[in-house]
Amino acid sequence: MVAAIEVRDARVGDAGALVALWRELTTAGLPSRLPAPPSTAAAEVAVSKHVDDPFGRLLVGELDGDIHGMAYLRKTAVSPLHDDTTVTVEYLHVSDTARRHGLGKALIAEAVTWAEHESCAHLAVVAPAIAREANRFLARLGLGQAGVLRFANTHTVRRRLAAEHAPNLLALLSSRRSAFARRAQLSGTVGGSVGGTVGGAVVSSPAEPESAGK
């Protein structure tokens, strides 16, 4: 008997199943730096934010009525130098017990359909470099490797930079952090502009970019 497959947008009531899938992602035997599974309550809040997001979709894949797969789709520019957009598939995961039934293909098919609907000419899928089975699956669908995504806690990277004993770099990091703090203090008007008054009228000008004069 052929299993019934359905791919749909996640609902708040799916939070518990999504947390279970995330737990599988972080304990699948592969080296992982992903955040620990959230509470169901926290996941419910997060899922609710994706319901009306025009640039992102959180998908679930059902097999015979039970959730066994997930994927997060994001629509973004293909690069900072191009007008073309791409749909990126992240956190693609299917439970071990539900594999080889076509659920992974169904999730990718939904991503392709959305990309076509949004006139995105490209599709990208994030997968662990050492996940051989997942990468073979994606390669069969015509997806080639374009890079390696690395993930770390911000504090960890700063600590490692400090360990390199590069005074100029550390001074730059400190100055950038101070600049961001000053910018936050000055962003009291709409759009982060700096304003004043002339003759009782409010006059505002855009805040200077952080890169100005660099």
Side-chain angles (χ1 to χ4, degrees):
M1 182 177 177
V2 178
I5 292 176
E6 181 183 0
V7 173
R8 59 174 175 79
D9 291 278
R11 299 187 286 260
V12 173
D14 301 326
L18 287 165
V19 169
L21 288 171
W22 189 269
R23 186 172 290 108
E24 291 179 7
L25 266 175
T26 57
T27 59
L30 298 173
S32 175
R33 292 178 179 269
L34 294 176
S39 66
T40 300
E44 289 176 348
V45 174
V47 171
S48 68
K49 296 178 180 179
H50 297 293
V51 174
D52 298 317
D53 183 1
F55 300 104
R57 294 177 63 193
L58 180 58
L59 303 180
V60 296
E62 292 184 346
L63 192 65
D64 290 333
D66 295 322
I67 295 176
H68 286 285
M70 64 177 287
Y72 177 49
L73 314 184
R74 285 194 306 122
K75 185 176 68 172
T76 182
V78 69
S79 90
L81 303 180
H82 295 79
D83 289 332
D84 296 346
T85 54
T86 181
V87 166
T88 301
V89 183
E90 302 175 26
Y91 309 111
L92 174 66
H93 178 68
V94 174
S95 296
D96 288 339
T97 56
R99 291 182 180 175
R100 305 196 184 283
H101 288 286
L103 196 53
K105 287 182 180 178
L107 288 163
I108 295 294
E110 180 63 22
V112 171
T113 300
W114 192 49
E116 292 173 338
H117 180 269
E118 297 295 318
S119 299
C120 296
H122 307 278
L123 184 75
V125 182
V126 178
I130 62 174
R132 295 181 180 179
E133 184 177 351
N135 281 287
R136 284 197 295 266
F137 162 70
L138 295 172
R140 288 197 300 270
L141 297 179
L143 290 148
Q145 183 171 326
V148 177
L149 176 67
R150 294 181 177 271
F151 185 91
N153 181 278
T154 306
H155 177 71
T156 298
V157 179
R158 177 173 287 279
R159 188 176 67 247
R160 296 294 179 86
L161 287 169
E164 293 294 330
H165 301 294
N168 292 338
L169 177 59
L170 296 179
L172 174 62
L173 289 172
S174 178
S175 66
R176 297 296 289 175
R177 188 158 53 180
S178 298
F180 286 133
R182 289 196 302 272
R183 189 174 189 176
Q185 292 174 352
L186 294 174
S187 61
T189 57
V190 177
S193 60
V194 180
T197 59
V198 177
V202 177
V203 179
S204 63
S205 59
E208 185 181 73
E210 292 294 334
S211 58
K214 302 296 183 183

